[in-house]
Amino acid sequence: METEVKHLEPVKKTGLTVVITGNGKGKTTSALGIALRAVGHGMKVCFIQFMKGDIHSGELDSIKRLAPEAEMHVMGKGFCGIMGDPYKFSEHREDAQKAIALAKEKITSGAYGVVILDEINNSLKLKLVDLPQVLDLIDGKPPLLHLVLTGRDAHPEVKKRADTVSEIVEIKHAFQQGIEPQKGIDY
Ligand code: ATP
Ligand code: MG
C-alpha cells in the first residue's frame, strides 16, 4: 500500500534569506535544487548569475525547460582576476553593478517567490559590489520572498542577516586528483 503524501502549508509563511558558502563543491547546485523544488510548487524563480564561469553549464539549458516559472540571467564575464583573465577590473565591476541593479528590480517587483543571487558572495569579496548594496537587497526584500545568496567567502554581515546559513566544507575534490571537470557533476 502506498503511503499517503501530505501537502503541508506553513501556519505562518515567511520569506527566508539563505546563504550557501564555503570552499566545498555544491553551492550553485544547491541553489539549483531550490529552484527545482520551488518550481514544483508553482513558484516563480529568478536565478541571477554574478561572475559566470567560462564553461557552458547544463543548467543554462535546464532552467529554460522550467520556463515560464524559472528564468536565468547570466551577467558576468567569467572568472575575475585569475590567470588569463583578459578583462579589466572596471569591466567586471560594471557587469556586477548591472547584476545588482537587475537583482534590485527583480526582488522589489513582487513577481517572484524565489530570487537566487549566484556567486554574489565572491563578487562582494572581490569588491565588484559593495556591502551596503548587498545588505540593501536583503533588507528591502518583500516579506514572503525567499532570497538565496551563494558563493565562497560570504561576508559576516550577510551571514548575520540570513535566516539559514550553510557552509560547505571541502573534504576533497576530484580536480585535486588531476581529474578534469565532468559534465553533469561539475558543469
Ligand atoms: P557547483 O556549481 O558544482 O555546485 P560550487 O558552486 O560550490 O560548485 P564554485 O566555486 O562556484 O563551486 O565552482 C564551480 C566549479 O568549480 C564547479 O565545476 C565545481 O566542481 C568546481 N569546484 C568547486 N569547488 C571546488 C574545489 N574545492 N576544488 C576544485 N574545483 C571546485
Ligand atoms: Mg558556484
Side-chain angles (χ1 to χ4, degrees), residues 6 11 22 30 57 91 101 103 136-137 161:
K6 294 193 190 87
V11 177
S30 170
S57 280
E91 292 175 300
D136 173 59
L137 293 180
R161 292 278 208 296

Side-chain angles (χ1 to χ4, degrees), residues 157-169:
E157 279 302 319
V158 171
K159 292 196 269 194
K160 203 189 271 181
R161 292 278 208 296
D163 302 289
T164 297
V165 179
S166 290
E167 189 160 300
I168 301 183
V169 177

Side-chain angles (χ1 to χ4, degrees), residues 9 16 22-23 30 35 44 58 60 63 69 72 76 88 105 116 126 145 150 158 162 172 174 185:
E9 277 295 334
L16 299 171
N23 289 337
S30 170
K44 278 202 75 180
L60 296 172
I63 285 276
E69 283 85 0
M72 183 179 279
K88 285 192 260 176
E105 183 194 317
I116 295 166
L126 292 168
L145 174 76
T150 87
V158 171
K172 57 176 167 175
I185 296 291

Side-chain angles (χ1 to χ4, degrees), residues 113-169:
V114 179
V115 173
I116 295 166
L117 307 177
D118 188 40
E119 317 294 356
I120 192 172
N121 295 327
N122 10 351
S123 301
L124 175 55
K125 178 80 178 180
L126 292 168
K127 297 187 163 38
L128 302 178
V129 302
D130 305 321
L131 180 62
Q133 294 181 306
V134 180
L135 298 183
D136 173 59
L137 293 180
I138 298 172
D139 295 342
K141 81 170 188 62
L144 294 184
L145 174 76
H146 300 307
L147 182 63
V148 181
L149 304 99
T150 87
R152 289 166 191 231
D153 301 311
H155 193 286
E157 279 302 319
V158 171
K159 292 196 269 194
K160 203 189 271 181
R161 292 278 208 296
D163 302 289
T164 297
V165 179
S166 290
E167 189 160 300
I168 301 183
V169 177

Side-chain angles (χ1 to χ4, degrees), residues 23-29 119 152 170 173 175-176 186:
N23 289 337
K25 172 188 155 45
K27 298 172 289 293
T28 297
T29 44
E119 317 294 356
R152 289 166 191 231
E170 186 205 282
H173 193 287
F175 189 71
Q176 281 126 30
D186 292 304

Side-chain angles (χ1 to χ4, degrees), residues 67-126:
E69 283 85 0
E71 61 188 50
M72 183 179 279
H73 304 269
V74 178
M75 304 299 286
K77 283 195 172 58
F79 298 115
C80 172
I82 61 171
M83 235 172 36
D85 172 11
Y87 299 101
K88 285 192 260 176
F89 174 82
S90 61
E91 292 175 300
H92 284 294
R93 180 155 166 114
E94 205 175 295
D95 280 356
Q97 289 298 316
K98 282 185 195 148
I100 282 282
L102 182 70
K104 179 84 182 170
E105 183 194 317
K106 297 290 185 180
I107 287 169
T108 54
S109 72
Y112 300 89
V114 179
V115 173
I116 295 166
L117 307 177
D118 188 40
E119 317 294 356
I120 192 172
N121 295 327
N122 10 351
S123 301
L124 175 55
K125 178 80 178 180
L126 292 168

